Amino acid sequence: MFVCIQQNGRVKPDTVGPPIAGVEVKIKDTGEILLKSPGLLKEYYKNPRRLPSDGRRRLYHTGDAGISMPTAT
């Protein structure tokens, strides 16, 4: 599953591009990437507690680090 995509003519090295429609991406103060998407699984097979969530908005804690950069026009 992908959550971000580079647009033709707007590719920037070392970036992932903006989120696709329906995907929400947040960066915690610690730098961890959080995702919310209709394409995310609800739980792992035979291990429903394994899927980390903030408990309110069902943001998926990826464990990956990232930074948010302003988009240039």
Side-chain angles (χ1 to χ4, degrees):
M1 176 182 80
F2 64 93
V3 296
C4 296
I5 190 166
Q6 295 279 6
Q7 298 171 350
N8 288 336
R10 302 185 101 183
V11 175
K12 292 183 181 181
D14 300 322
T15 67
V16 297
I20 61 172
V23 173
E24 180 180 345
V25 177
K26 297 214 179 262
I27 308 291
K28 287 179 60 173
D29 292 341
T30 61
E32 183 182 11
I33 300 169
L34 308 176
L35 300 174
K36 182 178 180 183
S37 169
L40 285 174
L41 63 147
K42 290 171 65 174
E43 61 190 31
Y44 286 103
Y45 179 67
K46 294 188 178 181
N47 193 357
R49 294 182 198 208
R50 170 67 177 81
L51 186 65
S53 169
D54 71 355
R56 294 175 294 130
R57 301 184 67 209
R58 304 279 313 161
L59 292 169
Y60 177 70
H61 295 243
T62 66
D64 295 322
I67 60 171
S68 180
M69 298 171 55
T71 54
T73 54

